[in-house]
Amino acid sequence: MGKKKKEGMDQQRARFLSGAAERGVDPDLADTLFELMAKFSGYGFNKGHAAPYALIGYQTAWLKANAPVEFFAASMSLDISNTEKLAVFYQDARRFGVTIRPPDVNRSGADFEVGDGEVLYALGGIRNVGLQAMEHVVEVRAAGGPFRDIFDFVERVDPRQVNRRTLETLARAGAFDSLGCDRAQLVEASEVLAGYGHSVAEERASAQGSLFGGDQVEAQRPRLPRCESWSPARRLDEELAAVGFYLSGHPLEDLLPALRRRRIDLLTEVIPKAEAGAEAFRMAGVVRRRQERASQASGDKFAFVTLSDPSGEYEVLFPPESLRRCRDLLEPGRAVSLKVRAKARDGEVRFFGDDAEPVETAIENAVAGLRVHVSPRSLAIDALKARLTAAPQGRGGEIVLVAPVEGGREIEVRLPGRFDLGPAVRGALKTAPGVVFVEDV
């Protein structure tokens, strides 16, 4: 019936009527019964599923409207190993006003949970750490209390469950931030920490038969290597690699004032404008992925490019001509400014790319310079110089150092020359020793 093959149905009709006659069923009644079954095969599947699907749709909508935090935690739990879906849920939760807290070894569960009206990001949702290993971490924490520092962590967990790679990934994701750890330092020290964890486990095991017990045995804690902290941009890139999407910030957030001056819209601003009839926009984003396909008619390649801006993710279709012109810029990790056409239809907005350029080029003349507020007592001039990049003739902008002096006054020192004011330089300046904050001029 489901295949709707007339020859097969004719054979089944003859078989059904013959069987009915053998059992004394009236031929007209048997024929009527078969016609009812044949008719049902044409629409029965849709009819049989419409009511259950409607009920599930209503229940889902009710849960999302009335228990949004629990709804998103449960939805993300179902797709804990699917990074792409987790990213979609994360962006949807932000639009819905639901806070998702970053992973934390002292607060998060192995799975997604709810705490204080917020979704706690699952340790098991971090890439390549393993759900079983994270369940072990949560069990150790429950048995002995919160981890006091990174040494307490490696001393208590099983090094067979939490190895060097796991330590690195947890550090990149920011799961050790609550222990007062620097992410760059932990990644650099991951091999040392893993070795220390093994030595503690071995001494504990060898002391099990000791008269004094294993608690008396403690290995010498190693000295962690010194290294420079990551810039905000590097920090987000490492987090992206560990989590699969930007969780604690976005690379374009610091550039929002400059993007505004260039009349570049965010995704959440574009959608209502497109639904109202507007078509041409300038947008910006960091390329997440690019999928190229060949046209069946011409063989020319076009591409679906997924981008991320501080308000969400969106997909742009680049036709063959635009793709040939922009392909080199549309590499994952690149920050670009786009000229797009938007078409709203059936409650969905689709984007078509016409052109692209590096975001640094798009905002080059939007900012005349940067005012770098510094603390004279802790300013490291050499570290500040190392973060500056001279711009080509006629490009870039000025940098002014602003420092407080006695009497509540400030002095300004304008650095000679012009400098690159791109996101990498801005992020690097913010992490320079002695820099308090950076603002556009």
Side-chain angles (χ1 to χ4, degrees):
M1 287 186 180
K3 295 182 179 179
K4 301 180 180 63
K5 292 184 178 180
K6 186 177 185 306
E7 312 83 51
M9 288 297 289
D10 289 342
Q11 293 175 2
Q12 293 299 324
R13 173 189 290 274
R15 182 181 176 188
F16 181 84
L17 295 178
S18 174
E22 291 177 1
R23 288 162 177 76
V25 179
D26 182 77
D28 291 337
L29 177 59
D31 189 67
T32 300
L33 289 172
F34 190 85
E35 285 297 330
L36 287 173
M37 291 187 290
K39 182 179 180 181
F40 180 81
S41 71
Y43 72 93
F45 181 90
N46 294 340
K47 186 175 182 180
H49 285 69
Y53 280 158
L55 178 60
I56 293 173
Y58 173 80
Q59 291 170 335
T60 304
W62 188 93
L63 288 170
K64 187 174 183 180
N66 293 277
V69 179
E70 290 78 5
F71 172 83
F72 281 108
S75 299
M76 297 179 84
S77 175
L78 287 173
D79 288 300
I80 190 171
S81 60
N82 189 327
T83 302
E84 299 301 326
K85 287 193 175 182
L86 291 180
V88 172
F89 283 127
Y90 174 73
Q91 295 297 344
D92 194 22
R94 288 187 61 186
R95 289 189 290 270
F96 218 71
V98 172
T99 299
I100 298 181
R101 288 295 175 189
D104 182 345
V105 293
N106 266 343
R107 193 179 180 199
S108 300
D111 204 346
F112 288 91
E113 296 179 356
V114 173
D116 298 328
E118 300 170 335
V119 177
L120 306 181
Y121 198 90
L123 294 174
I126 301 172
R127 288 175 163 178
N128 303 319
V129 297
L131 184 59
Q132 184 177 353
M134 296 303 100
E135 289 173 345
H136 165 70
V137 169
V138 174
E139 289 173 1
V140 171
R141 185 182 71 205
F147 301 107
R148 296 184 296 275
D149 52 38
I150 188 61
F151 295 110
D152 184 45
F153 179 87
V154 297
E155 287 165 2
R156 290 164 58 186
V157 300
D158 186 346
R160 295 170 298 181
Q161 298 262 22
V162 182
N163 56 25
R164 180 187 63 81
R165 184 182 180 187
T166 304
L167 289 172
E168 280 188 1
T169 307
L170 289 172
R172 287 188 167 98
F176 294 123
D177 288 359
S178 66
L179 302 181
C181 302
D182 181 82
R183 298 186 187 185
Q185 186 182 41
L186 288 186
V187 170
E188 187 73 19
S190 60
E191 187 170 353
V192 173
L193 289 169
Y196 172 63
H198 276 285
S199 67
V200 170
E202 289 173 359
E203 289 198 31
R204 186 183 299 120
S206 64
Q208 283 180 353
S210 168
L211 178 63
F212 300 103
D215 291 340
Q216 300 297 322
V217 180
E218 182 175 314
Q220 183 70 31
R221 288 182 170 181
R223 184 185 298 273
L224 299 185
R226 291 186 177 183
C227 65
E228 190 172 348
S229 297
W230 290 331
S231 68
R234 170 76 183 277
R235 180 184 171 105
L236 287 173
D237 286 342
E238 297 287 352
E239 185 178 291
L240 173 65
V243 178
F245 54 93
Y246 297 112
L247 188 57
S248 65
H250 195 278
L252 297 184
E253 283 179 338
D254 290 341
L255 300 180
L256 284 179
L259 294 174
R260 299 287 189 202
R261 294 189 184 97
R262 283 299 182 186
R263 300 183 182 278
I264 293 176
D265 291 319
L266 298 179
L267 173 65
T268 50
E269 300 164 339
V270 168
I271 290 178
K273 292 179 182 179
E275 291 174 340
E279 292 188 356
F281 297 95
R282 292 193 67 187
M283 302 178 70
V286 177
V287 179
R288 290 287 313 280
R289 55 189 168 276
R290 184 183 75 205
Q291 297 176 313
E292 294 192 12
R293 299 177 185 173
S295 169
Q296 293 183 348
S298 64
D300 292 336
K301 288 189 174 182
F302 60 95
F304 292 99
V305 180
T306 302
L307 299 108
S308 168
D309 74 12
S311 69
E313 289 192 0
Y314 56 98
E315 186 177 75
V316 180
L317 170 61
F318 278 81
E321 183 177 349
S322 299
L323 179 61
R324 285 193 291 269
R325 186 168 56 251
C326 306
R327 179 184 274 111
D328 291 344
L329 290 173
L330 301 176
E331 292 291 334
R334 291 289 299 272
V336 295
S337 171
L338 309 170
K339 291 181 179 179
V340 303
R341 289 170 290 111
K343 297 204 178 286
R345 183 177 180 182
D346 299 329
E348 181 183 5
V349 177
R350 301 184 63 190
F351 298 103
F352 301 86
D354 290 332
D355 203 358
E357 64 178 347
V359 75
E360 294 88 348
T361 304
I363 66 172
E364 187 172 23
N365 298 318
V367 178
L370 299 176
R371 287 167 58 88
V372 182
H373 294 257
V374 300
S375 173
R377 293 183 179 180
S378 57
L379 180 63
I381 294 296
D382 290 338
L384 187 66
K385 288 181 179 178
R387 287 164 165 77
L388 298 177
T389 303
Q393 185 70 27
R395 302 178 69 177
E398 296 180 331
I399 291 182
V400 177
L401 301 184
V402 183
V405 294
E406 293 182 1
R409 295 176 297 166
E410 292 180 335
I411 60 171
E412 295 187 359
V413 178
R414 191 179 308 275
L415 301 184
R418 299 181 69 83
F419 302 90
D420 176 17
L421 304 181
V425 173
R426 291 166 180 247
L429 285 176
K430 289 182 177 181
T431 60
V435 172
V436 180
F437 67 95
V438 178
E439 63 177 343
D440 295 341
V441 176

